[in-house]
Amino acid sequence: DLHLAWLGDLLASHPGIARGRAYFAVSPALQRPVTHFGVVPVGLASDLAYFGPDIAAELGPLLIWHPALAVTDEAEWARRTALHLAAAEDLSLVSVWSPTFLARLLDQVLQDVSLPRLLHDGAHGLPPRPDRAKALEQARLSGSLTGLWPRLALVSAWADAASARPAKDLQKQLQGVPFQPKGLLATEGFFTLPLVGLPFALPALTGAILEFEDATGTTHLIDNLEPGAVYGLIVSTRGGLQRYRMGDRVRAMGVPDPSEGWPPVHMLRFEGRSAGSDLVGEKLDEAFVLTCLTGFATSAFLAAGDTGYDLWLDPRDQNAMPPEFLTLLDTRLSHNPQYDYARRIGQLRPPRLRLCADLAARYRLFRLGL
C-alpha cells in the first residue's frame, strides 16, 4: 500500500512523528451528504479509509479528532478544530492537502480570543485544561506557535504550482518544523510518492498505470520521458478508471542517482491543472498565470471578468505588491502571443484591480458553497 510506504519512510527518517498524535486532513472536512452512483457509494467515510480498514482501526486512536468536530458550519468547524489542536500538547505530525487549509487553522489558533477561555473551562468534548490555556496565551503574546507543540516533528502539504507560495509562507510560520511536500494525491488515487532524500516525488507505478501525454497528443510511458518536458497525466486505476485524463500536468525531473539505491525512473513534479481561461482565444493556463504572478502578494489571484481579467487582492496586501503591478502583470501576460494579440486589437481590456476585504475567507466560503 502506497500510503503505508509513505508513512514507513517518514517513520524511518523522522521517528519523532510516532511520539504523539497526528492531525490528518486529506479531503474537505465539512460533512457532506453521502452520494451514490447507482448502488455504488461515492467517496470515503473518512480519510482513514485511504489506509485500508485494518490500519484505519489502529490509527484512529492516534488522530486528533472528536465527534464534536463533525459540524457543517465552516466558522464553527474552524473554531472547534483550532480548539482541539491547541489542546494537543502531543501533536507530532500534521498531514493536510493544501497549505492554505492549515494556515487558516493556525491563524484561528492565534487570533480567536475565545479559545483560551474554552480551553480553561473545557468545551466541545475537552476537559478543563488551564495549563494549555496558559500555553496558548503565551503563544498569542509571542505570535509564535513553536512552543505550543514541542513534539511537532513534521508537516506535510502540497508545495507545487498554485501551492508553492502558500507553502513557503506556512514554513515561515512554523519556524523550523520539518516540512515535506506532498506528491500527487487526488480523489482518483495516489500517483506520485514523496520520499525523504529525494528532491521530487517518484511515480507510484504499483498503484496505477500511468501514461504521459505530450503537447502533440502522443502518449508515453515513464521510461520514455524527456527531462524537463511537461506532460498531461492519464491514469488507469484499480478503482475502474480506464485511460482517464486527470487534467493534471507533471514535469519530468530526471532520474535519481541509482548508485544510492533509487529506482531508475523519472521523478515527477506537479505543474498545475491543464484547464485554463479562454475569453477570446487567449488560452491562459494555470502554470503560465502563476509565473506572471511571481513576486505578487500571496493573496493575489487572477480571474476572468467581463471583457478582460481582474486581479483580486486583499487591501491589506497592497503594500506588498511591486510598483505598477497592473502594468507589470499586463506585460507578463503579453508573453502569451494570443493574449498579446487580443490586447493589441482591443478584444481584451487591460487588467483591472478588484479589492476585497478578507479575500481568502470570502473565496473559501464561495468554494464551499456557503
Side-chain angles (χ1 to χ4, degrees), residues 333-367:
L333 291 171
S334 294
H335 286 100
N336 175 310
Q338 289 83 16
Y339 176 91
D340 181 57
Y341 177 73
R343 284 282 292 111
R344 285 190 286 110
I345 66 173
Q347 280 185 297
L348 292 175
R349 57 166 170 76
R352 181 176 57 193
L353 178 65
R354 300 290 297 274
L355 297 175
C356 177
D358 296 320
L359 177 60
R362 295 278 296 276
Y363 181 70
R364 181 174 60 254
L365 293 175
F366 167 75
R367 293 305 299 262

Side-chain angles (χ1 to χ4, degrees), residues 79 83 107-119 133 136-137 140:
R79 188 169 70 95
L83 178 68
D107 287 344
Q108 187 90 24
V109 170
L110 281 176
Q111 298 173 13
D112 191 331
V113 296
S114 72
L115 295 189
R117 176 184 56 80
L118 293 174
L119 275 176
L136 179 56
E137 288 284 16
R140 287 168 53 83

Side-chain angles (χ1 to χ4, degrees), residues 278-340:
D278 191 15
L279 293 175
V280 296
E282 69 279 10
K283 297 180 176 63
L284 299 180
D285 63 46
E286 182 184 60
F288 172 71
V289 171
L290 286 173
T291 65
C292 295
L293 295 178
T294 301
F296 285 20
T298 304
S299 68
F301 71 87
L302 194 67
D306 46 5
T307 57
Y309 287 89
D310 298 331
L311 182 70
W312 286 86
L313 192 66
D314 193 301
R316 294 171 296 185
D317 293 332
Q318 274 188 279
N319 292 335
M321 298 290 283
E324 305 296 334
F325 55 87
L326 287 178
T327 300
L328 175 61
L329 174 62
D330 194 31
T331 300
R332 290 176 174 178
L333 291 171
S334 294
H335 286 100
N336 175 310
Q338 289 83 16
Y339 176 91
D340 181 57

Side-chain angles (χ1 to χ4, degrees), residues 207-219:
I209 297 173
L210 305 181
E211 299 177 76
F212 303 86
E213 186 174 23
D214 65 23
T216 70
T218 304
T219 56

Side-chain angles (χ1 to χ4, degrees), residues 112-166:
D112 191 331
V113 296
S114 72
L115 295 189
R117 176 184 56 80
L118 293 174
L119 275 176
H120 186 278
D121 297 341
H124 305 305
L126 291 171
R129 293 292 306 273
D131 58 328
R132 293 304 289 172
K134 183 177 180 180
L136 179 56
E137 288 284 16
Q138 291 174 343
R140 287 168 53 83
L141 288 172
S142 66
S144 170
L145 293 168
T146 54
L148 193 61
W149 298 303
R151 298 190 200 177
L152 186 56
L154 186 84
V155 170
S156 173
W158 288 339
D160 295 318
S163 293
R165 290 187 298 165

